[in-house]
Amino acid sequence: MPRNVEVKARIQDWERSLQVCQQLSGSDGEQILQRDVFFNTTKGRLKLRDFQDGSGQLIYYERPDLLGPKLSNYSLSNTADPHGLEAVLTQALGVRGKVVKERFLFLVGQTRIHLDRVKDLGDFVELEVVLKDSQTAQDGDLIAQELMNSLKISQDHLLTGAYMDLLQGGEKN
């Protein structure tokens, strides 16, 4: 199962964060519109990501709800029929909720930086340090901490869970 070290935090200054991401990545980033449907599960999280262009991904992940960098194990499968898959999974599992966002993706080394504008929540930054097989979670933590420093992400801006948790009032931050 692929692994990454993930950090999620509120953004205090969108324009500054955007400029830093552009400088770090050497690009303007890629804009991606996403609609995530979370399904009821007994463990982990299962979501269908609809890219609103006829394609999507079914993503299952397990990640502790802790502040700061945390290890996430995930599996994903691409689909050319997100609406049909959503209908089947809704019947089988029921829907926990939906998250709609505009995402700007920046690649910095082995890290995917997402600047997210989440409907009904606000602006966020998410770091995903994609680990190589030979790397430990501690290696990913070090990379994440460096990027957190560059983006001026402080401890009081960190989030523990997913956007879905915030929308449902389960997030403590």
Side-chain angles (χ1 to χ4, degrees):
M1 188 177 272
R3 305 170 301 136
N4 65 29
V5 170
E6 190 171 309
V7 174
K8 191 175 307 219
R10 286 193 179 276
I11 291 178
Q12 302 305 305
D13 184 342
W14 176 269
E15 288 304 318
R16 185 198 170 287
S17 297
L18 181 62
Q19 289 175 354
V20 171
C21 288
Q22 289 170 333
Q23 290 169 351
L24 290 171
S25 70
S27 77
D28 289 332
E30 177 186 358
Q31 180 187 28
I32 306 168
L33 300 178
Q34 297 178 346
R35 181 177 154 272
D36 293 344
V37 180
F38 284 77
F39 299 96
N40 296 315
T41 59
T42 56
K43 68 174 192 160
R45 292 183 174 99
L46 180 67
K47 67 182 172 187
L48 176 63
R49 174 159 290 157
D50 182 347
F51 292 109
Q52 301 180 23
D53 65 359
S55 68
Q57 291 179 325
L58 184 62
I59 304 166
Y60 172 77
Y61 63 100
E62 294 177 356
R63 180 187 67 219
D65 290 333
L66 303 171
L67 286 178
K70 50 199 153 273
L71 184 65
S72 177
N73 295 300
Y74 62 95
S75 297
L76 61 89
S77 178
N78 295 317
T79 180
D81 184 17
H83 297 288
L85 187 54
E86 179 182 345
V88 171
L89 290 169
T90 297
Q91 280 186 318
L93 302 172
V95 172
R96 179 175 170 210
K98 298 176 185 178
V99 175
V100 177
K101 63 183 172 271
E102 177 184 28
R103 171 168 278 180
F104 294 86
L105 168 65
F106 300 89
L107 301 176
V108 178
Q110 68 193 78
T111 304
R112 298 169 55 94
I113 301 176
H114 305 139
L115 291 185
D116 292 335
R117 293 208 131 147
V118 183
K119 183 179 177 186
D120 299 325
L121 284 182
D123 298 335
F124 300 86
V125 62
E126 186 177 83
L127 306 176
E128 290 181 353
V129 182
V130 180
L131 296 176
K132 299 172 185 168
D133 289 341
S134 61
Q135 289 180 302
T136 66
Q138 291 76 19
D139 295 329
D141 286 350
L142 290 173
I143 294 168
Q145 290 292 342
E146 286 179 29
L147 289 169
M148 287 171 63
N149 290 337
S150 296
L151 288 161
K152 299 200 183 316
I153 298 172
S154 65
Q155 286 293 114
D156 58 329
H157 298 144
L158 295 176
L159 304 174
T160 58
Y163 297 138
M164 185 78 263
D165 301 325
L166 282 171
L167 284 168
Q168 294 184 332
E171 176 71 44
K172 294 174 180 57
N173 304 76

